[in-house]
Amino acid sequence: MTNSQRPGPPTDCDERTSLEGWLDFHRETLARKCEGLTDEQLREASVPPSELTLLGLVRHLAECERGWFGNVLAGDEKAAEPIYFTDEDPDGEFHLSERDTWEEAYATWQAQIAAAREATRGRSLDDLGVGEHRSGETFNLRWIYTHMIEEYARHNGHADLIRERIDGATEM
C-alpha cells in the first residue's frame, strides 16, 4: 500500500499554487482512503446494486487525469485513448474482476498524475487546451484545475462512505 503524507493546501499563496495545492490534497485524500486495504476490500462495492468501489474510483480518476490534462489540455492523441473503458463498456473503470489489483491501478493513477504535472508545466492558467473534448468546447487550465478539484472532492465523499462501510474507518 502507500504511506501517504497528505499535504495541507497552502493558505497564503497565488492562485496557481492554491489550485495545485487543493488538487494534490484531494489526490492524497483518495490514496489515504485506500491505505491498508486488501485488493478484495478495494473491489468491494459500496451498496448493491451500485458497482462503486475504491479501486474503481482510483481507475476513474486515472482516466480523468489522462483525459483532462493529457488529451484536452495538451492535445496528446494517445491520451485520448481510454485506459479502462471502451465504447462498448463506457463505465469499464468500475467493472472489476479478480485480476484487477491495487498495484496496477495505483501505478497507472500515479503515472497519469505525473503526466498531468508535466502537461501543466510552463503553462499559464489562461492557456487554452489544444486537444479535443467530446463537447467541442475549449477549456483553459484554470477551468481544468477547478474541475479536477471538484471531481476529486465529489469522489472523495464517495470514498469516505465506501471506506466506512468496509472497515468503519472515518478518520483519514
Side-chain angles (χ1 to χ4, degrees):
M1 293 296 160
T2 62
N3 185 13
S4 64
Q5 296 296 315
R6 182 171 52 174
T11 59
D12 184 18
C13 58
D14 62 86
E15 180 183 14
R16 183 172 187 138
T17 303
S18 180
L19 290 168
E20 289 175 348
W22 276 106
L23 183 54
D24 284 342
F25 175 81
H26 282 294
R27 287 167 170 157
E28 285 301 315
T29 297
L30 182 58
R32 289 173 65 111
K33 291 296 175 183
C34 296
E35 284 181 341
L37 297 176
T38 65
D39 283 349
E40 182 179 43
Q41 289 171 312
L42 290 164
R43 289 189 298 262
E44 190 174 319
S46 56
V47 180
S50 174
E51 295 180 288
L52 195 60
T53 65
L54 290 170
L55 192 60
L57 288 174
V58 168
R59 288 164 40 123
H60 173 69
L61 287 158
E63 294 276 16
C64 290
E65 296 273 358
R66 180 180 178 100
W68 282 105
F69 291 110
N71 179 33
V72 175
L73 180 66
D76 178 356
E77 290 182 22
K78 183 178 177 187
E81 299 171 15
I83 305 166
Y84 298 110
F85 68 88
T86 63
D87 288 340
E88 296 77 32
D89 187 7
D91 293 322
E93 67 265 41
F94 296 109
H95 299 151
L96 305 174
S97 73
E98 295 293 317
R99 295 182 316 274
D100 297 310
T101 66
W102 170 253
E103 183 178 356
E104 182 281 325
Y106 182 78
T108 299
W109 180 41
Q110 293 306 302
Q112 294 309 313
I113 290 171
R117 289 185 175 125
E118 183 61 31
T120 63
R121 185 169 291 124
R123 293 182 189 261
S124 160
L125 293 176
D126 295 320
D127 283 356
L128 294 175
V130 296
E132 290 281 324
H133 184 266
R134 65 182 173 269
S135 69
E137 293 181 84
T138 305
F139 300 89
N140 68 19
L141 179 55
R142 177 182 292 103
W143 191 97
I144 293 170
Y145 273 136
T146 303
H147 173 69
M148 288 298 292
I149 292 165
E150 175 272 331
E151 186 81 16
Y152 271 95
R154 178 170 19 107
H155 290 311
N156 281 338
H158 298 135
D160 285 339
L161 297 172
I162 296 168
R163 179 65 190 248
E164 185 176 5
R165 183 182 178 281
I166 291 170
D167 69 357
T170 58
E171 298 295 322
M172 304 187 95

